[in-house]
Amino acid sequence: MNLEEYFARTGYKGSTEKQDLETLTDIFQHHIRAVPFENLSIHCGEKITLELEHVYNKIVRKKRGGWCMENNQLLGWVLKGLGYDTSFLGAYVFNPHQNAYATLMTHLVVKVVIDGTAYIVDGGFGVSYQMWQPMELVSGKDQPQAPGVFRFTEINGVWYLEKMRRKQYIPNQSFSNSDLLEKKECRKVYMFSLEPRTVEDFRFQCTYLQTSPDSLFTKKSICTLQTTDGFRALIGWTLTETTYNYKENMDLVEFVTLEDEEVEKALKEKFNITLERKLVPINVKGSYTI
């Protein structure tokens, strides 16, 4: 494993000399635009493991993506290797259909401290809740980014992330009531504490999320990638392309339904993914919004 090979994968050609916010942001943005957030292994007969060498091989050499425990573990390794002060935290994801936070800590994020200021670096959430810049760990401050306005709120040692989105323009009106569309303009994303975590803390969750019939990830095949002006997502057979701020305070959300034989081509052309095994797409309704 080496940093040069990782940077070749993400296309980053900038400096690695300074451990500053500007360099961190640039490395981070190259990652989220090159490495998809995806759970396709579950739906093509592969097992997701947390061993760093396996994650590196999958994302860097096989040019795949991964979920938070893979993406953010790799990002944490890269940043640590560059000399950043990094640690892992664990978050509980908000479920909009249950209107509650998960009881299981399933989301791994990276905390980076630069000159005494802490930032959350999360390259493993995907769709419109994917931050585009490291977020300063400060309570009650609106942090506008291209995807929308993010904000942390701290209450009794627990930190809550929420996001305010723009209005949405959906040209294909047959999708205007899709269960994939978020109806609320302000959406809770996840909550976390500042207790340091290790990858070991996620072993059970990694197995549970890819095997339990109650898991979102067994109910939906998901592949999503950030672009320079929005993001793409393939959920089951539904391909969406979102353009942020397409008009004043308006995001453009384009939907198309693929045939079985079109899925493989879309993965290659839209996400630069070529699978070694056959994907079986799935999209059980509910519990996930883009």
Side-chain angles (χ1 to χ4, degrees), residues 127-171:
V127 293
S128 67
Y129 309 108
Q130 175 59 59
M131 59 181 70
W132 277 20
Q133 296 153 248
M135 284 186 61
E136 187 179 349
L137 191 59
V138 58
S139 180
K141 176 185 174 183
D142 284 356
Q143 302 192 46
Q145 299 188 8
V149 180
F150 293 92
R151 180 171 57 219
F152 288 127
T153 307
E154 183 265 336
I155 302 170
N156 298 327
V158 178
W159 291 79
Y160 299 85
L161 173 65
E162 58 185 6
K163 186 208 164 193
M164 284 68 76
R165 66 166 177 82
R166 301 178 192 91
K167 292 180 172 58
Q168 296 169 322
Y169 171 56
I170 298 117

Side-chain angles (χ1 to χ4, degrees), residues 7 20 38 46 68 85 102 177 200 204 208 225 234 281:
F7 288 133
D20 57 14
E38 52 107 335
E46 299 170 349
C68 66
D85 176 357
N177 290 315
E200 291 301 316
F204 168 79
Y208 171 83
L225 184 66
L234 179 62

Side-chain angles (χ1 to χ4, degrees), residues 237 258-267 278-279 281:
W237 299 264
L258 303 181
E259 300 296 331
D260 271 328
E261 60 272 15
E262 296 175 304
V263 169
E264 193 176 305
K265 184 183 175 196
L267 283 173
K278 175 130 185 80
L279 176 71

Side-chain angles (χ1 to χ4, degrees), residues 18-61:
K18 295 179 183 172
Q19 285 75 55
D20 57 14
L21 180 61
E22 187 179 351
T23 303
L24 172 63
T25 303
D26 204 2
I27 290 169
F28 177 65
Q29 289 184 343
H30 276 79
H31 183 102
I32 61 174
R33 289 173 187 159
V35 183
F37 173 85
E38 52 107 335
N39 71 341
L40 303 178
S41 291
I42 298 170
H43 304 287
C44 64
E46 299 170 349
K47 186 180 180 190
I48 298 171
T49 70
L50 294 184
E51 275 60 48
L52 180 58
E53 291 80 4
H54 183 272
V55 172
Y56 179 93
N57 193 49
K58 177 182 176 183
I59 291 177
V60 176
R61 298 204 171 119

Side-chain angles (χ1 to χ4, degrees), residues 202-219:
F202 292 85
R203 292 267 170 214
F204 168 79
Q205 297 89 314
C206 183
T207 301
Y208 171 83
L209 289 176
Q210 60 188 307
T211 56
S212 169
D214 295 326
S215 166
L216 160 72
F217 294 111
T218 61
K219 295 175 183 176

Side-chain angles (χ1 to χ4, degrees), residues 66-175:
W67 58 15
C68 66
M69 299 170 225
E70 297 169 291
N71 267 304
N72 286 334
Q73 184 187 174
L74 183 62
L75 259 176
W77 172 78
V78 169
L79 297 174
K80 204 175 210 66
L82 293 174
Y84 282 95
D85 176 357
T86 66
S87 57
F88 291 135
L89 303 177
Y92 299 78
V93 176
F94 185 77
N95 183 323
H97 288 261
Q98 295 174 353
N99 196 32
Y101 292 95
T103 54
L104 196 60
M105 181 183 73
T106 57
H107 190 57
L108 181 147
V109 301
V110 184
K111 186 180 88 167
V112 178
V113 180
I114 301 172
D115 296 331
T117 301
Y119 298 88
I120 297 299
V121 179
D122 183 359
F125 208 91
V127 293
S128 67
Y129 309 108
Q130 175 59 59
M131 59 181 70
W132 277 20
Q133 296 153 248
M135 284 186 61
E136 187 179 349
L137 191 59
V138 58
S139 180
K141 176 185 174 183
D142 284 356
Q143 302 192 46
Q145 299 188 8
V149 180
F150 293 92
R151 180 171 57 219
F152 288 127
T153 307
E154 183 265 336
I155 302 170
N156 298 327
V158 178
W159 291 79
Y160 299 85
L161 173 65
E162 58 185 6
K163 186 208 164 193
M164 284 68 76
R165 66 166 177 82
R166 301 178 192 91
K167 292 180 172 58
Q168 296 169 322
Y169 171 56
I170 298 117
N172 187 341
Q173 281 299 295
S174 63
F175 285 94

